[in-house]
Amino acid sequence: MDAIVLLREDHKAVEKLFKQFEKTDDDAGGERRKIADEVIEELTVHAWIEEQIFYPAAREAAPDTTDHILESIEEHHAVVWMLSELKRMDPADERFKAKMSVLMENVRHHVEEEEKDWFPDVRKAMGRNRLAELGEQLKAAKKDAPRDPLAVPSATQ
C-alpha cells in the first residue's frame, strides 16, 4: 500500500473516533474513556511511524517540504503531550471533554495541512514505487510502534 494512502487511512480512522466522541453524552464517561483510549493508541502509533520513517523520507525526496515537516513534528509534540495527559485523566474530570476537543482541533488542523499542503509535493517527488515501498515499511513499523504516549520520548521533553 502506498505510504500516503496508509497515512490518510489512519487520518480517517481517527476522524471516525472523533465523531463518535462528539456524539457522546456528558454522562457517558465509560464510553468516552474507551474512545479516548483508542484515539490515544491510534495517534501515538501514527505520530511515531510518521516521525521515524515517513518524515525523513519525505524530507529527503522533497526538500521544499522541510518547513512543513518541522512544523508537523512540533504539532506531534503538542499532540503526544495532550495524549499523555488524557491517558492519566479521569473521564469524569471537568476538563476531559475540553482537552479532547482541543486535541481534535489540533489533529484536524494538522491533517488538513499534511493532506492539502505537502502530501501532493511528496507524492510527486517520490513516485509510485517509492511510496509503495515506504508504505510497506510504515505498515511493518506499526507492529513495533509505541502505543502509550508516555513511552514516546517527546511526551516528556
Side-chain angles (χ1 to χ4, degrees):
M1 173 185 302
D2 173 315
I4 291 174
V5 171
L6 182 142
L7 296 174
R8 284 186 169 173
E9 284 185 4
D10 284 358
H11 294 165
K12 287 177 190 171
V14 170
E15 180 60 30
K16 184 178 176 184
L17 291 168
F18 287 168
K19 287 185 171 157
Q20 288 175 10
F21 187 90
E22 289 170 331
K23 290 178 184 175
T24 61
D25 295 323
D26 287 338
D27 62 351
E31 185 180 358
R32 284 184 176 171
R33 172 83 271 159
K34 181 181 175 292
I35 295 167
D37 287 344
E38 289 181 52
V39 166
I40 290 166
E41 183 173 329
E42 289 286 330
L43 287 176
T44 300
V45 169
H46 179 81
W48 192 84
I49 66 168
E50 277 190 328
E51 287 185 31
Q52 297 300 310
I53 298 167
F54 184 73
Y55 289 172
R59 191 172 180 181
E60 182 180 327
D64 289 349
T65 64
T66 295
D67 287 344
H68 290 294
I69 291 167
L70 293 173
E71 183 180 325
S72 291
I73 290 168
E74 294 307 317
E75 289 170 348
H76 280 186
H77 177 75
V79 164
V80 170
W81 178 64
M82 281 187 277
L83 295 174
S84 67
E85 289 190 341
L86 277 166
K87 184 167 181 68
R88 295 181 292 224
M89 189 177 273
D90 186 322
D93 186 309
E94 68 179 356
R95 293 174 42 233
F96 188 84
K97 182 180 174 188
K99 191 170 292 290
M100 271 297 287
S101 293
V102 171
L103 173 74
M104 291 186 286
E105 288 173 18
N106 281 313
V107 170
R108 285 171 170 153
H109 166 79
H110 174 81
V111 166
E112 183 177 348
E113 281 188 341
E114 277 188 344
E115 291 188 0
K116 292 186 177 156
D117 293 348
W118 62 276
F119 274 7
D121 293 336
V122 172
R123 177 172 295 291
K124 185 176 177 183
M126 283 193 180
R128 182 178 299 143
N129 291 338
R130 177 66 178 122
L131 283 169
E133 174 186 302
L134 197 57
E136 291 304 314
Q137 287 179 306
L138 293 174
K139 186 176 174 183
K142 280 187 171 197
K143 295 172 190 153
D144 297 321
R147 277 146 174 71
D148 182 343
L150 299 170
V152 177
S154 66
T156 57
Q157 293 175 353

